Amino acid sequence: MAEEAPPAPQAPASRGDVIRKTWMFCPVTGSLLILDAAQGVARSRYCEFARPLADLDDTMSVVTTADMADYHRRYALEPLVKSREQLEFEELLKQRVRATVDEPCPRCKNPVLEYYTMQLRSADEGQTVFYECRKCGYRYSTNN
């Protein structure tokens, strides 16, 4: 006579007010729930647990917009397609006039570098000087 397997553990019935951050995981196995829209349930792959998708309506939020400028800035990403504002800003940067110094570029040996200064450290310390070569675009800085 064959032994019967013990029944799969059943999770308590779900209620919309208790489903919060864990709605996407099975409370029995801890596995990610599979959303089955055809049957209207979110079910576990490894046990019999299932909860109605209607219980999840008040807990899910769908993000349809993103602040891509913030995302690019936060992760230092260069967009593949630049916005009109970015292209206009880059064009203005090309047309800018900066002070120049007769100092050779460390990379291409161009005899003239553009420079500007900024106060990045405390007020009792010198300014940081930023140099840029017009010819090759090489940039570097020094602390004075």
Side-chain angles (χ1 to χ4, degrees), residues 23-49:
W23 69 265
M24 66 193 81
F25 297 100
C26 174
V28 178
T29 65
S31 63
L32 189 63
L33 294 177
I34 299 169
L35 301 179
D36 187 351
Q39 294 188 359
V41 295
R43 60 180 171 76
S44 174
R45 178 180 299 177
Y46 303 105
C47 73
E48 298 298 318
F49 176 79

Side-chain angles (χ1 to χ4, degrees), residues 128-143:
T128 303
V129 182
F130 295 90
Y131 295 95
E132 184 175 351
C133 177
R134 268 191 209 165
K135 185 176 178 184
C136 72
Y138 180 71
R139 296 177 186 174
Y140 69 99
S141 64
T142 60
N143 294 320

Side-chain angles (χ1 to χ4, degrees), residues 71-89:
Y71 184 81
H72 288 135
R73 187 173 38 256
R74 185 176 300 169
Y75 297 107
L77 300 175
E78 194 65 35
L80 294 176
V81 178
K82 295 181 181 180
S83 67
R84 178 179 297 139
E85 293 82 17
Q86 180 66 27
L87 293 172
E88 290 171 357
F89 178 72

Side-chain angles (χ1 to χ4, degrees), residues 87-124:
L87 293 172
E88 290 171 357
F89 178 72
E90 288 177 2
E91 189 60 35
L92 284 173
L93 285 179
K94 290 178 186 176
Q95 297 171 3
R96 71 183 179 266
V97 177
R98 289 188 179 157
T100 58
V101 62
D102 292 331
E103 187 172 319
C105 172
R107 183 183 288 165
C108 71
K109 305 302 180 205
N110 184 35
V112 177
L113 292 174
E114 294 181 341
Y115 74 94
Y116 62 96
T117 61
M118 290 181 78
Q119 186 70 39
L120 299 179
R121 298 174 292 155
S122 62
D124 64 338

